[in-house]
Amino acid sequence: MSSTTPAQPSRAPSGSSSTPPPALSLTERRKAATRMEIARAAAGLFARHGLRATRAEDIAQAAGIAPRTFYRYFASKEEAVAPLYAAGAQRWAEAVREAPAGLSVPEALDHAVRHTLSPGGGVSAASWEWVRTLIRLATTSPPLRKVWAEVCQEAEDTLAGVLVERDGAGDREAGGSGAFGSEAGGGGGGNRGAGDREGNDREGDDHEAGDREAQGADNVADGPGASPDLRFTAAVASAAVRVAVESWATGDAPATGPDGPAALALRNLAALRDFRWERRP
C-alpha cells in the first residue's frame, strides 16, 4: 500500500490493543520532514517530465537543497520516492495496531482497510491519483519496482510486529504473557526552510552518509521475533492489500466505489475467509 502524504502521529483510541510507538526526537522529525519534501519534489518531476528525463540534481533544485544533501538522504533518484510509498503502508499498520482490542485479526485488518484505503481516511482523492501515478511508474521501471518491492517487504515486517503486539496483548488479557516481543517505529514530520535544512545537514556531515546502511541493518536486526504463523499471516494480509492497490492503479476506476482500492482489498480479504488468521497453539 502506498500514499503520497506522510503518516501523521495519532493517539491510540480507547480499547486499542497496544500503545503508539515513542515519539521521534526533533532531529529525527527534521530528517523525516526533509525526506518527505524531497520525495514530493521527486514525484512531481516524475509525473511532469517522466522518470528518465529527471535527474537527481533536478530533484534537489526543486526541493531547495544542494545535490550533496540529496545524496545524503537517498542513493538514487528512484529511492527518493520511497517515503511516499512507505507512508501509506505505515498508516495501515498503525490502523491495525490501533484497532479495538476485542477485534479478531481479520476484523482488525478490515477495520484498517476501511480507515486508510478510502479517500477521506487520511488521504484525499487527489492524493490517490498520485498513488496511481507512482505505482504505474514502478511497473515500467525496474529500479523503481525494486524500491516499491523493498517498501512492501518492510511494510510486511512492520505488520508482523503489530500482530505480535496484538497477540501479546491478548495473552495478557487472558492472564498469561505474550509469546514474543517486538518494536515498531512510527513516522512524523515538520516544516522548515531550505536554509534550515542545509544548516542541520552540515551538523551531520560525519555520519549522515551512513544513515541509509545503518537503517537497513536495523531493520534486519529488529525483524525476527514473530512466530512463523504470524509472519505468514502478515505476508498473506500484506499481499491482499498490495495486489488490491496495484490492480486499482493499473486501471482508471475512481478511488471510491466497488472498484476502488478499499473495496478490492476487502474483497481479497473476504476471499481468504477460511484462512486461519490466528496464531496456532
Side-chain angles (χ1 to χ4, degrees), residues 87-152:
Q90 182 66 32
R91 184 182 292 106
W92 183 60
E94 290 299 323
V96 175
R97 173 184 281 115
E98 295 171 0
L103 296 184
S104 64
V105 171
E107 289 171 339
L109 296 173
D110 282 7
H111 169 90
V113 165
R114 296 179 190 279
H115 281 74
T116 60
L117 288 188
S118 299
V123 183
S124 67
S127 291
W128 271 108
E129 290 307 313
W130 279 96
V131 173
R132 194 197 302 269
T133 298
L134 289 173
I135 293 179
R136 283 181 173 177
L137 285 173
T139 64
T140 59
S141 165
L144 200 56
R145 190 180 310 127
K146 179 176 180 289
V147 174
W148 170 242
E150 289 174 348
V151 166
C152 290

Side-chain angles (χ1 to χ4, degrees), residues 125-217:
S127 291
W128 271 108
E129 290 307 313
W130 279 96
V131 173
R132 194 197 302 269
T133 298
L134 289 173
I135 293 179
R136 283 181 173 177
L137 285 173
T139 64
T140 59
S141 165
L144 200 56
R145 190 180 310 127
K146 179 176 180 289
V147 174
W148 170 242
E150 289 174 348
V151 166
C152 290
Q153 180 61 59
E154 290 171 3
E156 179 184 315
D157 293 342
T158 298
L159 181 60
V162 169
L163 294 179
V164 168
E165 293 177 10
R166 292 187 66 88
D167 180 66
D171 286 344
R172 288 191 296 274
E173 289 177 2
S177 60
F180 308 99
S182 159
E183 295 181 0
N191 294 319
R192 58 199 179 97
D196 189 17
R197 286 199 302 273
E198 292 290 348
N200 282 283
D201 290 336
R202 281 193 293 271
E203 294 176 5
D205 277 349
D206 292 339
H207 63 272
E208 189 84 56
D211 279 355
R212 293 188 301 270
E213 290 78 3
Q215 182 180 12

Side-chain angles (χ1 to χ4, degrees), residues 215-255:
Q215 182 180 12
D218 288 344
N219 288 340
V220 171
D222 292 342
S227 70
D229 292 336
L230 290 181
R231 292 193 66 82
F232 185 54
T233 296
V236 171
S238 297
V241 173
R242 175 182 56 79
V243 170
V245 175
E246 290 177 343
S247 298
W248 168 79
T250 59
D252 297 314

